[in-house]
Amino acid sequence: METWTIQKLLNWMTDYFTTNEIDEPRLSAEMILSYALDLKRIELYMHFNRAVDKPTLDKLHQLIKRAAASEPIAYLVGRKEFYSLEIKVNSDCLIPRPETELLVERAIEFLRKRPAPRYACDLCTGSGCIATAVAKGVDDIKIIATDICDAALSVAAENVAHHNLTGNIHLLCGDLFDPVIEGLDQTRFDLIISNPPYISTAEMAGLGKNVKDYEPHKALHAGEEGLDIYKRIIEQANDHLKDDGALMLEIGYKQAAGVTELLENTNAFKKITVEKDPHGNDRIVTAIK
Ligand SMILES: C[S@@+](CC[C@H](N)C(=O)[O-])C[C@H]1O[C@@H](n2cnc3c(N)ncnc32)[C@H](O)[C@@H]1O
């Protein structure tokens, strides 16, 4: 029987994923192989000539097939790197995106300038990636993180525990600010941050198979123009912000005008800025109360 070494498998999988138009074929091959072999990616290269046993080859066979059918690699391996942290994921939550790291960066910069103790609220937390990364980057911080999906919050709870942040992040299930209870929880925050669902009805139809068929639609779709959740967050934000506090939102590349208008209409914010991501697309709106 043919011997499959790590090197040979890596090369074969890279070619196979390239042919099947899987994003980042080499990286995807490394991630699947390191997961199946329970090695770090770098360790694949340290054991290049190691022969891979039959049970592992059988396991890989299934994973390769699923990857070729466009199932996201992050779901196959159960994790995604975000802001240099390992974030656990499953199909109940959105896979953290690199674009969202800029939101985390701005949130950390803003919160570090606020007097301690700092209070933040992460709405639509999903895997808890934003709350986790922000809490790792700021001292003396308490974050309330809410999501309407209980199953997503279970994933967030694993991430919070894994990164030793149970004392910093309080996870609550419910609609936006609804689960926050006056008198029991902090209700006014230095920062409200959110990467909410923001895909319009028309855009939903054009999503790639890897997103449309695998990621939760509740995490993506937000009405005809994709603005439904922003409208509701913005209506309530003023009541939950301290003076000079900030609302920071990730937005879709066509939504800067719509979101800015919603913010202006409240007359609650003295400064509104839009920032582009490294691809030149509008990505973050910050409104200071
Ligand atoms: C785009 S995902 C973002 C997840 C995570 N913050 C991230 O950046 O990867 C949006 C999340 O919002 C949650 N969600 C949708 N509607 C909601 C609502 N009305 N209240 C709270 N969470 C909601 C979904 O369950 C999903 O986890």
Side-chain angles (χ1 to χ4, degrees), residues 61-118:
H61 192 273
Q62 292 300 318
L63 292 167
I64 292 166
K65 209 171 163 196
R66 287 166 65 186
S70 298
E71 189 164 343
I73 307 297
Y75 287 156
L76 293 178
V77 304
R79 57 182 181 242
K80 174 81 184 173
E81 189 179 305
F82 178 76
Y83 209 72
S84 300
L85 297 168
E86 184 180 296
I87 297 293
K88 289 171 196 277
V89 292
N90 67 24
S91 56
D92 293 319
C93 59
L94 191 92
I95 299 165
R97 302 296 205 267
E99 295 89 320
T100 308
E101 293 178 329
L102 187 61
L103 187 69
V104 168
E105 186 84 31
R106 294 294 170 263
I108 290 173
E109 284 166 9
F110 178 81
L111 285 166
R112 282 184 181 164
K113 290 188 202 139
R114 298 287 290 179
R118 291 121 180 160

Side-chain angles (χ1 to χ4, degrees), residues 94 100 124-126 129-130 147-149 174-176 195-197 218-219:
L94 191 92
T100 308
C124 305
T125 196
C129 59
I130 294 174
D147 201 286
I148 204 149
C149 173
D175 181 14
L176 304 180
N195 174 22
K218 212 188 281 178

Side-chain angles (χ1 to χ4, degrees), residues 255-276:
Q255 292 173 322
V259 172
T260 303
E261 190 183 340
L262 289 171
L263 288 161
E264 284 170 351
N265 289 345
T266 65
N267 289 320
F269 300 100
K270 58 187 173 199
K271 190 176 171 201
I272 299 167
T273 48
V274 178
E275 188 177 354
K276 291 187 189 300

